[in-house]
Amino acid sequence: MKTDKQELEFVEMARFAKAMSHPIRLQILSLLSKSDCCYTGDITDELPIARSTLSQHFKELKAAGLIQGEYNPPKIKYCLQPDNWEKAKKQFDNFFESNKKSSCC
Amino acid sequence: MKTDKQELEFVEMARFAKAMSHPIRLQILSLLSKSDCCYTGDITDELPIARSTLSQHFKELKAAGLIQGEYNPPKIKYCLQPDNWEKAKKQFDNFFESNKKSSCC
DNA sequence: TTTGTATTTCGTAAAAATACGAAATATAAA
DNA sequence: TTTATATTTCGTATTTTTACGAAATACAAA
């Protein structure tokens, strides 16, 4: 069914939205992009939050597929995950586009 | 400071993202738009969920400012909230736009 | 006035998110 | 080998989210 397909799409999009539903995580994503899409510095210099908490946020962004990390202890290099990033962008674009503000209200 | 301004923007955007972080709520938003941005029918016909649960989802969408409802008991007419809808659209657009996939990864 | 309809609020329970500090991990540098 | 560095994992506590059924609400129609 077509409906089921869209329902699955919504499930996936909701997962991206949830990953973006915390200010810290939006800041992380923004930081990653600003440093040419990757970041290696000490990110707690930029964010007022415990390291372990930050690590949890990274974990969630990774679980949602929005970022990826190369681990070379004691450093890690975090990057946006280009494919899913593009996918999320398209889903949101499309969602807002096909749900335009109309004149009915 | 400029940073604080952006932080506030992220707080607001995170609120929109959270409102959109559940498949049912995405379906609701989608339904509203498809029925010319408003909906008056029995929405539980379309969604496999208890009425009270649905009502909670409506409440959250309302709290986030994405929808509005005219209450004429026993019916309610739900509509997208055009201004905030537009605002959310722009925030997401802008966020993905300024965080483009680059060639670094 | 009673009945029907569509919705919300209430009470409750279970699961998930958020945050922290302490300890563990893995490598580089001294 | 010891020390320093950046990060994760663990244990824990608090708050928030999600879901349901039962009861309440508010009006229209019979």
Side-chain angles (χ1 to χ4, degrees), chain B:
Chain B
M1 265 190 283
K2 190 161 180 292
T3 322
D4 286 336
K5 202 184 156 199
Q6 192 178 49
E7 264 172 50
L8 282 180
E9 175 105 353
F10 284 154
V11 168
E12 189 177 36
M13 189 178 160
R15 203 156 42 222
F16 288 138
K18 182 170 263 175
M20 298 173 71
S21 75
H22 195 290
I24 291 280
R25 291 200 288 270
L26 290 177
Q27 283 189 66
I28 291 172
L29 292 172
S30 181
L31 268 173
L32 289 197
S33 70
K34 271 172 196 150
S35 31
D36 287 321
C37 108
C38 292
Y39 192 86
T40 43
D42 187 353
I43 217 160
T44 43
D45 290 349
E46 327 245 6
L47 301 174
I49 196 173
R51 284 163 195 284
S52 54
T53 307
L54 184 64
S55 190
Q56 265 181 232
H57 284 305
F58 272 120
K59 203 175 175 181
E60 274 184 66
L61 287 170
K62 223 188 291 179
L66 289 179
I67 67 172
Q68 60 194 155
E70 273 175 53
Y71 193 29
N72 321 61
K75 290 204 179 185
I76 198 162
K77 183 179 145 196
Y78 274 118
C79 306
L80 294 181
Q81 209 295 319
D83 294 347
N84 281 328
W85 187 253
E86 200 57 26
K87 199 178 197 177
K89 173 188 171 61
K90 272 182 189 143
Q91 284 180 340
F92 279 96
D93 262 20
N94 189 47
F95 190 77
F96 282 110
E97 199 48 45
S98 62
N99 293 279
K100 268 204 240 302
K101 171 170 119 175
S102 88
S103 50
C104 101
C105 296

